């Protein structure tokens, strides 16, 4: 199998590339990544240096000329599109790059892949396209799309474009919608690595609102497994939900994290809530269980310990990705919220 993976230098893409090349000796991967603040080429540098089945190209999924060129170089069996602006708070500050990459970029990638007759297109979406839940129920694939943030609206826009490419052109597009991932290589603007970093520095842990919002956490390898199964066994034109069956309130998660790290709960600081903050996500992934044989394999307690151990062992990585633009963004964010 020859794959074009986009956004492979980000959190989930890095884990996916490593997992697929390790598991499938006959697969090769071209990774196209723009290297935004969230993309780190060093994540996969060892593969660049030692694995001739891995090839990196720096570039934008919005670049038509580049994509037509890459896709014509060789026949790709599939495209897996992880490339996106992924952080909700950034989308609240400035929605524009989210529309540019997540909607226009995704459409450009679809168009080039269709013209170059790529065999299959797996688009990585999110549970956030469904909006928010109350205390009861779960999202299914037939839950109407009702995004609440500029980020989730841009992801929903791409999902609808994927649907249109399947319905209009018969292009074999599949969509995955997953809940909150955690694990190695997650950029420290997201809840778990941010809280880890602040706790270790004895800095305040900023919990939005009352900390009662619920997320369903899935270890990143399990999401990668879901994407792999979708690629290999999914039905064209179909969306698949993935989740970890691990619903936690944010405050519960932060307290657990502090207890594992042996840090005091006095570090918790409640700050102004995120505007339009979705209350609860929970995934019904029975379609993926029944059609793809998907079962999440990592329970939250061991996954969290494994994740924190990875960050503890990779302090240099944390230092490296926090430099520059990230620091500036976080400083102004804290100033506004304090
Ligand atoms: P991330 O922000 O860590 O990585 C995104 C990657 O995309 C980066 O390497 C970045 O450089 C690259 N990129 C951004 N714009 C690009 C462009 N125009 N062209 C090429 N590359 C570009 O994101 P992530 O958390 O790894 O998420 C990956 C995908 O999974 C996203 O589509 C996201 O919406 C989706 N998703 C994420 C989660 C989660 O919990 N993190 C859950 C469900 C779905
Ligand atoms: O559900 C899938 C989505 O999960 C993905 O589509 C997104 O790309 C990914 O960023 C993530 O979105 P969230 O907004 O849920 O993740 P985040 O880590 O930003 O926040 C998780 C929860 O923690 C959320 O309820 C907001 C809260 N939070 C977050 C931060 C960064 C805090 O209370 N304090 C914080 O500092």
């Amino acid at each position: 199998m020859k794959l074009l993976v986009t956004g492979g230098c980000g959190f989930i893409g890095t884990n996916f590339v490593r997992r697929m090349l390790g598991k499938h000796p006959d697969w090769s991967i071209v990774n196209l990544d723009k290297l935004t603040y969230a993309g780190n080429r060093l994540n996969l540098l060892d593969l660049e240096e030692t694995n001739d089945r891995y090839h990196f190209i720096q570039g934008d999924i919005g670049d038509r000329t580049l994509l037509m060129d890459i896709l014509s170089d060789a026949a790709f069996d599939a495209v897996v599109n992880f490339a996106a602006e992924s952080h909700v708070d950034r989308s609240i500050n400035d929605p524009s790059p989210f529309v540019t990459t997540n909607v226009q970029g995704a459409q450009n990638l679809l168009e080039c892949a269709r013209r170059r007759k790529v065999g299959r297109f797996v688009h990585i979406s999110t549970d956030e396209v469904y909006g928010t839940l109350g205390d009861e129920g779960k999202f299914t694939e037939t839950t109407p799309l009702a995004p609440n943030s500029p980020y989730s609206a841009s992801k929903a826009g791409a999902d609808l474009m994927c649907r249109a490419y399947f319905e209009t052109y018969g292009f074999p597009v599949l969509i995955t919608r997953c809940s909150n991932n955690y694990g190695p290589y997650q950029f420290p603007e997201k809840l778990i690595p941010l809280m880890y970093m602040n706790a270790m520095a004895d800095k305040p842990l900023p919990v939005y609102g009352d900390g009662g919002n619920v997320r369903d956490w899935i270890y990143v390898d399990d999401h990668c497994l879901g994407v792999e199964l979708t690629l290999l066994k999914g039905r064209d034109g179909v969306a698949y939900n993935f989740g970890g069956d691990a619903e936690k309130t944010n405050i519960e998660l932060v307290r657990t994290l502090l207890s594992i790290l042996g840090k005091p709960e006095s570090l918790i600081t409640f700050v102004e809530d995120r505007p339009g903050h979705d209350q609860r996500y929970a995934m019904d992934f029975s379609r993926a269980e029944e059609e793809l044989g998907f079962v999440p394999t990592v329970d939250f307690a061991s996954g969290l310990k494994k994740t924190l151990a990875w960050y503890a062992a990779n302090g240099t990585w944390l230092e490296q990705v926090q430099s520059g633009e990230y620091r500036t963004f976080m400083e102004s964010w804290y100033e506004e919220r304090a």
Side-chain angles (χ1 to χ4, degrees), residues 51-327:
N51 192 327
D52 59 9
R53 293 183 291 121
Y54 173 75
H55 183 60
F56 173 74
I57 299 172
Q58 182 171 3
D60 191 322
I61 59 167
D63 184 337
R64 174 76 50 102
T65 311
L66 175 67
L67 275 174
M68 290 302 279
D69 190 35
I70 293 171
L71 290 168
S72 73
D73 281 341
F76 280 86
D77 298 298
V79 168
V80 183
N81 180 30
F82 291 97
E85 290 293 338
S86 69
H87 194 45
V88 173
D89 294 329
R90 285 177 189 260
S91 82
I92 294 167
N93 273 17
D94 181 7
S96 300
F98 288 75
V99 175
T100 305
T101 285
N102 300 1
V103 184
Q104 294 173 338
Q107 186 272 328
N108 186 55
L109 186 58
L110 279 164
E111 181 61 19
C112 295
R114 179 180 81 84
R115 288 195 198 182
R116 293 298 193 202
K117 299 189 171 38
V118 170
R120 190 151 248 223
F121 189 108
V122 178
H123 177 72
I124 310 306
S125 185
T126 168
D127 59 358
E128 299 201 8
V129 297
Y130 298 124
T132 187
L133 291 164
D135 291 341
E136 301 294 323
K138 293 186 173 190
F139 296 129
T140 72
E141 291 86 352
T142 55
T143 302
L145 303 192
N148 291 318
S149 70
Y151 163 70
S152 52
S154 70
K155 295 297 290 184
D159 283 18
L160 292 177
M161 196 55 78
C162 288
R163 176 189 154 86
Y165 268 70
F166 175 71
E167 295 295 335
T168 306
Y169 306 111
F171 185 57
V173 185
L174 301 91
I175 297 175
T176 65
R177 296 191 181 125
C178 191
S179 60
N180 285 63
N181 286 221
Y182 67 103
Y185 299 103
Q186 187 167 34
F187 197 83
E189 63 189 352
K190 306 291 187 336
L191 184 69
I192 291 178
L194 177 72
M195 295 298 164
Y196 166 82
M197 211 172 59
N198 284 14
M200 295 315 287
D202 295 312
K203 283 188 183 163
L205 272 55
V207 172
Y208 298 165
D210 64 3
N213 303 69
V214 175
R215 296 293 180 266
D216 169 16
W217 293 93
I218 181 172
Y219 193 69
V220 64
D221 278 354
D222 281 333
H223 183 194
C224 293
L225 171 65
V227 174
E228 178 191 10
L229 291 170
T230 304
L231 177 64
L232 293 174
K233 297 190 193 174
R235 282 183 292 133
D236 292 347
V238 171
Y240 293 93
N241 281 356
F242 294 97
D245 260 344
E247 285 186 54
K248 309 281 169 211
T249 61
N250 293 335
I251 190 68
E252 184 187 356
L253 189 158
V254 170
R255 287 195 174 119
T256 308
L257 179 143
L258 285 170
S259 131
I260 296 171
L261 297 176
K263 293 288 181 177
E265 288 192 10
S266 55
L267 288 175
I268 295 172
T269 312
F270 292 97
V271 298
E272 187 190 330
D273 209 352
R274 173 186 277 175
H277 196 172
D278 287 335
Q279 183 57 34
R280 176 173 164 258
Y281 304 145
M283 293 301 259
D284 175 338
F285 51 89
S286 50
R287 176 183 284 175
E289 284 177 314
E290 285 156 23
E291 292 188 21
L292 310 176
F294 170 78
V295 183
T297 60
V298 181
D299 68 89
F300 184 72
S302 56
L304 184 60
K305 283 190 188 137
K306 204 154 62 157
T307 301
L308 297 179
W310 186 88
Y311 283 102
N314 288 277
T316 319
W317 183 89
L318 267 179
E319 276 300 312
Q320 180 195 36
V321 300
Q322 277 178 77
S323 55
E325 196 258 357
Y326 168 69
R327 283 224 171 96

